Amino acid sequence: ETVSEERYQLLEPWIQWVSIQTGKTYEEHQVFRLGDITERKDLTQIFEEVEKKGRTVGAISPFNADNRLKKAGFFVPDPWTETGTDGNWVVQGLSQAVSQAVNDNAKSKISAKSIFSILSGLLLYVPVGRIFKQYSKLILNRNKAGAKAIILDSLLSDTFVKLLKRRKSNFSWLFLNSGAHIQHHYLFNSQVYQGDLKNPEWYCEEGHDPLLTILQEYDNTLGRIDSLGAKLIVLTGLHQRPHKHMTFYWRLNEHNAFMKRIGIDNFTKLLPRMSRDFLVEFANETDTKKAENILCSFKSTKDGINIFTVDNRGKSLFVEMTYPNDIDDTFSIASDAVGTIEAFKKYISFVAIKNGEHNGIGYVTSNFDLGLENRVDLVKMYDKILEVA
């Protein structure tokens, strides 16, 4: 077992993985939001340290990691962190496609360019047998809960294994998020769930267990990597336990347009983040504070619950759409500063129903002796990985 932060608000994977990748606790690194690592050049990541040892580093979707490698074998950033991609045109295209598909997931929208890149990756990096056995079944059932996430993780895994076989790196890092995503949103459908809550049929049909499917896919991936003779470390960072309430997640469709609709049009940059979050940057603290006041003033006219939660960082706001209940076509929101916005649902998309919540205990295993105690501080994995790299 691994042990991480005690405070629940710090039990976010984008915090834990910075801890793993820097060897520092949150108190030491202070990286609280996804994507913030790019502004923290003072923090040395494990990737640069391994490169200094003469290793060629390859990484696919390392969570909240900045690409600072001098000569990467390959580097595909996670879909939410703005940093450079290293690799051939197929890898570059896949990186852009995954980012577009993940960030537009709430609208179920995949661009023609992304479809081309994904198909190119399938043809060049996926064994023919896997296309017919794994992908054809997933594609046919692409509208089922969790299917798109499983397709993306499968493609990332196949690309990773292919690059390993081509010896593009001798220290390789693969982060897969679909299992956590599926636990977070579809755990109530799992065969092993023993609670009383149930997902609506329209959301995830009874008898459909996407968690089992993604675990079988991960098992397949681990088996293929192990068969290559690689030293293999598997690290979860956290685990999840069943959520005890019906909580809905919503996401703005057009962030820029909505901000201007509510009178916030002087921002310098707006970046959608994971799920329901977005980051807004301003030229000065006065504009930031005005925008914070507007966003925090919006409440549901139905139950008086706030629509947004805002973290003011001086010249930027990290905004979460945290309204937790169901929203129908008559739902409206109101602000003393702006007035009432009727039919609010046209501005947003349904994301998911929360099924799982984070727990600070994680797990680590390997195909060789790591020499670890039965329980270890998560940050100590940094030194352990460097030791065996």
Side-chain angles (χ1 to χ4, degrees):
E1 293 184 349
T2 61
V3 184
S4 57
E5 307 291 342
E6 293 184 359
R7 286 185 289 162
Y8 185 77
Q9 63 266 36
L10 299 181
L11 296 180
E12 297 288 3
W14 50 84
I15 295 176
Q16 311 308 308
W17 282 91
V18 172
S19 296
I20 295 166
Q21 289 155 189
T22 65
K24 299 180 184 299
T25 63
Y26 170 74
E27 185 176 350
E28 294 170 316
H29 64 65
Q30 294 288 305
V31 177
F32 189 64
R33 299 297 184 190
L34 181 53
D36 281 0
I37 191 65
T38 59
E39 305 299 323
R40 297 295 307 278
K41 306 301 182 185
D42 58 306
L43 294 171
T44 301
Q45 302 170 120
I46 196 168
F47 313 107
E48 300 96 77
E49 290 299 312
V50 172
E51 190 175 56
K52 288 178 186 176
K53 294 176 69 171
R55 295 286 193 178
T56 300
V57 177
I60 288 185
S61 204
F63 211 22
N64 210 359
D66 192 19
N67 184 2
R68 304 171 191 166
L69 296 169
K70 294 178 179 178
K71 194 175 181 180
F74 52 91
F75 194 104
V76 176
D78 74 54
W80 308 277
T81 303
E82 288 197 328
T83 189
T85 302
D86 284 311
N88 62 24
W89 67 272
V90 182
V91 171
Q92 297 270 350
L94 274 176
S95 178
Q96 294 173 12
V98 170
S99 180
Q100 188 269 315
V102 169
N103 283 296
D104 286 340
N105 177 58
K107 294 183 281 186
S108 299
K109 176 183 176 183
I110 300 180
S111 69
K113 183 179 179 181
S114 294
I115 291 172
F116 174 78
S117 296
I118 290 170
L119 289 175
S120 298
L122 279 170
L123 292 173
L124 293 173
Y125 289 141
V126 180
V128 175
R130 288 261 303 157
I131 292 177
F132 287 105
K133 186 176 180 180
Q134 171 73 358
Y135 288 88
S136 60
K137 184 178 179 181
L138 287 170
I139 291 170
L140 286 173
N141 293 288
R142 62 188 177 277
N143 292 322
K144 285 197 171 187
K148 294 183 181 70
I150 297 169
I151 290 171
L152 288 176
D153 260 12
S154 298
L155 186 52
L156 290 175
S157 297
D158 282 318
T159 302
F160 184 80
V161 172
K162 189 72 169 184
L163 293 170
L164 286 185
K165 288 181 177 179
R166 292 180 178 177
R167 301 185 182 276
K168 293 294 183 181
S169 65
N170 49 31
F171 177 87
S172 305
W173 192 280
L174 173 65
F175 177 84
L176 298 172
N177 191 59
S178 292
H181 168 83
I182 287 168
Q183 286 183 76
H184 202 54
H185 299 311
Y186 304 112
L187 181 61
F188 299 160
N189 274 68
S190 172
Q191 298 175 31
V192 298
Y193 172 66
Q194 297 179 344
D196 298 325
L197 295 177
K198 185 178 180 181
N199 287 316
E201 189 72 13
W202 58 263
Y203 177 63
C204 188
E205 64 187 71
E206 189 171 359
H208 178 54
D209 185 357
L211 182 57
L212 177 59
T213 303
I214 193 62
L215 290 177
Q216 290 171 330
E217 176 61 11
Y218 286 171
D219 189 57
N220 179 281
T221 298
L222 292 171
R224 287 186 291 151
I225 295 173
D226 183 59
S227 71
L228 298 176
K231 285 184 176 180
L232 175 62
I233 299 173
V234 185
L235 190 60
T236 71
L238 299 162
H239 82 272
Q240 294 188 49
R241 60 191 175 201
H243 191 53
K244 297 187 181 300
H245 313 283
M246 290 297 285
T247 302
F248 289 73
Y249 281 5
W250 304 93
R251 179 182 177 90
L252 288 174
N253 290 331
E254 302 294 340
H255 295 76
N256 286 277
F258 180 79
M259 292 289 279
K260 292 175 181 177
R261 165 68 178 82
I262 63 175
I264 303 174
D265 58 3
N266 55 350
F267 52 87
T268 58
K269 195 174 187 179
L270 194 155
L271 299 171
R273 294 300 197 197
M274 198 174 191
S275 185
R276 54 192 178 162
D277 312 334
F278 58 99
L279 180 72
V280 197
E281 297 180 357
F282 298 86
N284 56 69
E285 293 184 4
T286 300
D287 289 343
T288 308
K289 186 62 180 177
K290 287 180 180 178
E292 178 189 11
N293 290 339
I294 291 173
L295 286 163
C296 289
S297 68
F298 276 103
K299 299 179 183 293
S300 161
T301 59
K302 179 180 179 180
D303 49 31
I305 297 175
N306 282 78
I307 304 301
F308 302 104
T309 300
V310 180
D311 172 24
N312 188 329
R313 305 176 178 185
K315 292 186 179 181
S316 68
L317 300 175
F318 191 90
V319 187
E320 298 176 86
M321 188 177 169
T322 49
Y323 184 78
N325 298 327
D326 198 4
I327 292 175
D328 60 24
D329 293 337
T330 64
F331 186 90
S332 61
I333 64 175
S335 158
D336 291 339
V338 180
T340 301
I341 297 179
E342 304 286 353
F344 179 60
K345 195 170 185 178
K346 68 182 181 182
Y347 294 97
I348 61 175
S349 291
F350 169 76
V351 176
I353 296 173
K354 185 174 182 178
N355 282 203
E357 56 189 46
H358 295 136
N359 183 295
I361 300 296
Y363 305 97
V364 58
T365 188
S366 60
N367 63 359
F368 65 102
D369 186 8
L370 280 173
L372 295 173
E373 300 295 329
N374 288 334
R375 178 172 284 200
V376 61
D377 288 339
L378 185 65
V379 292
K380 291 184 178 179
M381 289 308 304
Y382 174 89
D383 288 330
K384 178 56 66 174
I385 295 169
L386 269 181
E387 176 189 319
V388 301

